[in-house]
């Protein structure tokens, strides 16, 4: 079974600064997807960024980028120029290419300090 | 753009009652997933449907059942409710798996409270 581990239960960042959230995963599959989801206080699950395992290039979406290290099974999220609206719970998630169910990590609660 | 619709948004039931949660996927999405998120926990996969057939099953209790209908909407039926069933229930939908990119789009969730 696949597992996803987020070792940072809580993190904080100053507004306009950069923060990196860590995620590691374990799988025996060669083809899979990795995601970061944001869950603000509204509890809505919002997709932040996606990475296909077969792509070597790290995904980027505006201020959000990932550092995908396939051999190390590491998938960290970097948030640049942090904004107050970035404050939320961030979940790292995995899905296999054959079975698309998502397996989530325990989450990292990010606080943004004005 | 159209999003995933879930109804009701809030539901209060008593122990041993039944509940039905509904999910309307994004148009042209043919795969539906159900997740349960307890207080302070990460979402847990319950069950999924592709083209009206069950495709994967996770940690769904035997007291729960689900189905996907011809219009692709899905319903999660929960019987003999227990206090521990109190949670936020998400439905998500995705593109056809043969052409998909793995992305799932989540609805706003149904908050179920069992008293």
């Amino acid at each position: 079974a696949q597992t996803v581990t987020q070792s940072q239960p809580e993190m904080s960042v100053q507004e306009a600064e950069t923060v990196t959230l860590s995620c590691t995963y374990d799988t025996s599959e060669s083809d899979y997807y990795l995601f970061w989801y944001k869950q603000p206080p509204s509890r809505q699950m919002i997709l932040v960024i996606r990475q296909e395992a077969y792509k070597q290039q790290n995904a980027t979406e505006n201020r959000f980028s990932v550092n995908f290290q396939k051999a190390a099974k590491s998938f960290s999220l970097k948030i640049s120029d942090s904004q107050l609206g970035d404050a939320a719970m961030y979940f790292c998630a995995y899905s296999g290419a054959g079975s698309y169910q998502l397996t989530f990590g325990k989450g990292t609660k990010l606080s943004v300090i004005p | 753009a159209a999003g995933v619709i879930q109804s009701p948004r809030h539901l209060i039931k008593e122990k041993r009652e039944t509940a039905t949660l509904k999910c309307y996927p994004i148009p042209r999405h043919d795969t539906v997933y159900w997740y349960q998120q307890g207080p302070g926990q990460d979402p847990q996969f319950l069950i999924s449907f592709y083209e009206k057939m069950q495709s994967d099953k996770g940690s769904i209790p035997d007291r729960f059942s689900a189905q996907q209908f011809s219009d692709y909407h899905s319903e999660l039926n929960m019987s003999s409710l227990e206090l521990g069933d109190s949670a936020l229930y998400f439905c998500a939908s995705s593109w056809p798996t043969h052409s998909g990119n793995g992305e799932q789009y989540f609805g706003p969730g149904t908050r179920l409270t069992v008293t």
Side-chain angles (χ1 to χ4, degrees):
Chain A
Q2 293 76 30
T3 58
V4 178
T5 302
Q6 294 179 250
S7 58
Q8 307 151 316
E10 295 187 24
M11 291 196 71
S12 61
V13 62
Q14 291 284 147
E15 196 176 2
E17 295 295 309
T18 296
V19 64
T20 298
L21 308 184
S22 301
C23 172
T24 58
Y25 60 95
D26 189 25
T27 183
S28 58
E29 297 178 307
S30 58
D31 195 13
Y32 51 87
Y33 300 97
L34 295 164
F35 307 87
W36 280 97
Y37 279 89
K38 170 185 177 181
Q39 188 175 43
S42 67
R43 306 296 298 278
Q44 174 75 48
M45 293 292 285
I46 302 166
L47 177 63
V48 174
I49 200 164
R50 180 192 81 239
Q51 176 79 44
E52 293 92 336
Y54 63 87
K55 288 189 177 179
Q56 293 185 336
Q57 185 173 4
N58 290 323
T60 299
E61 288 287 344
N62 300 314
R63 298 183 296 107
F64 299 88
S65 62
V66 298
N67 183 3
F68 174 48
Q69 301 290 327
K70 190 172 184 179
K73 295 181 180 174
S74 171
F75 182 61
S76 61
L77 174 69
K78 185 171 81 172
I79 305 174
S80 305
D81 185 25
S82 296
Q83 301 175 0
L84 295 178
D86 294 333
M89 183 70 83
Y90 285 82
F91 289 101
C92 179
Y94 169 102
S95 78
S99 171
Y100 291 95
Q101 64 187 76
L102 290 170
T103 299
F104 290 88
K106 296 299 182 186
T108 297
K109 184 178 180 180
L110 178 66
S111 301
V112 180
I113 304 166
Chain B
V4 176
I5 298 171
Q6 290 187 247
S7 68
R9 294 292 308 278
H10 302 273
L11 191 58
I12 300 174
K13 292 285 186 178
E14 295 188 355
K15 284 195 307 183
R16 292 178 289 278
E17 286 191 320
T18 61
T20 297
L21 279 54
K22 296 184 179 183
C23 169
Y24 298 86
I26 291 171
R28 289 180 291 140
H29 283 193
D30 64 356
T31 304
V32 169
Y33 310 80
W34 286 97
Y35 294 87
Q36 176 193 58
Q37 186 179 28
Q41 298 181 5
D42 55 295
Q44 295 291 314
F45 170 73
L46 293 177
I47 195 166
S48 63
F49 292 88
Y50 166 61
E51 281 291 344
K52 294 153 280 185
M53 298 287 289
Q54 180 182 308
S55 53
D56 281 305
K57 194 171 182 180
S59 51
I60 184 169
D62 292 340
R63 299 178 289 107
F64 294 7
S65 65
Q67 58 182 324
Q68 186 179 32
F69 295 86
S70 57
D71 63 351
Y72 295 104
H73 94 273
S74 178
E75 295 184 3
L76 178 65
N77 299 292
M78 310 161 71
S79 63
S80 302
L81 287 169
E82 301 174 356
L83 295 178
D85 296 329
S86 295
L88 186 59
Y89 290 83
F90 285 109
C91 172
S93 71
S94 69
W95 294 104
T97 52
H98 66 276
S99 62
N101 57 13
E103 287 186 14
Q104 294 181 23
Y105 299 84
F106 281 75
T110 293
R111 183 178 298 281
L112 172 66
T113 302
V114 181
T115 62

